[in-house]
Amino acid sequence: LMYEYLSGGEHPAENFDRLWGRYPQWSEVYNGYVDSIEDKPAESSNLHRVGLGWSVEPTKKLEMLTSYSLLFADDNYAKGTATGLSDSGCFRGQVGSWLLKYTINEHVKGHLLGEVFGPGDFYTDARNDVATFLRFEIVFSW
């Protein structure tokens, strides 16, 4: 189970500052793409995230991780502006992610990441499309 709150609002100087944590922490599709509608990419603020995650390791070389989060805004401070936020509503949406990690050998590892974001009533119809993200990665290390 997880809960996260990032403060912030209409005054960027008051937003939560993660210092060097600008890289997406919990979602590739939301942090960096969806949250850039309001501010700089990967600088989410004005956010409550409630979710759950689960992982399983069926073999020594294979691990699967999945998570589901519900996202809420603390305040709809920019309602009705050109940013794409609705006149009412604080439900940002939901994010589902699935990560499959596989260790080929001690020098080669890979993973497949898939995420889906379903927007809520926080966004206008012009910004109310489902977003998806898919990445395959192979890492060589010595």
Side-chain angles (χ1 to χ4, degrees), residues 84-101:
L85 303 183
S86 67
D87 288 334
S88 63
C90 286
F91 179 56
R92 289 180 176 269
Q94 48 197 328
V95 176
S97 68
W98 180 72
L99 176 63
L100 181 67
K101 295 180 178 181

Side-chain angles (χ1 to χ4, degrees), residues 10 17 29 37 47 50 59 67-68 70 72 81 107 113 121 129:
E10 59 188 306
D17 184 7
V29 73
I37 292 172
L47 174 74
V50 179
T59 69
S67 69
Y68 175 76
L70 296 172
F72 301 91
T81 65
H107 300 292
L113 171 66
D121 63 1
D129 293 329

Side-chain angles (χ1 to χ4, degrees), residues 15 18 22 24 26-45 47 71 77-78 82-85 92 117 122-123 127 131:
N15 289 354
R18 288 183 274 164
R22 302 290 185 244
W26 53 270
S27 173
E28 294 280 351
V29 73
Y30 188 81
N31 299 124
Y33 297 102
V34 176
D35 69 349
S36 66
I37 292 172
E38 298 169 71
D39 203 357
K40 297 176 200 160
E43 290 192 7
S44 297
S45 62
L47 174 74
L71 311 174
Y77 63 88
T83 61
L85 303 183
R92 289 180 176 269
F117 171 73
F122 186 70
Y123 304 100
R127 299 281 189 168

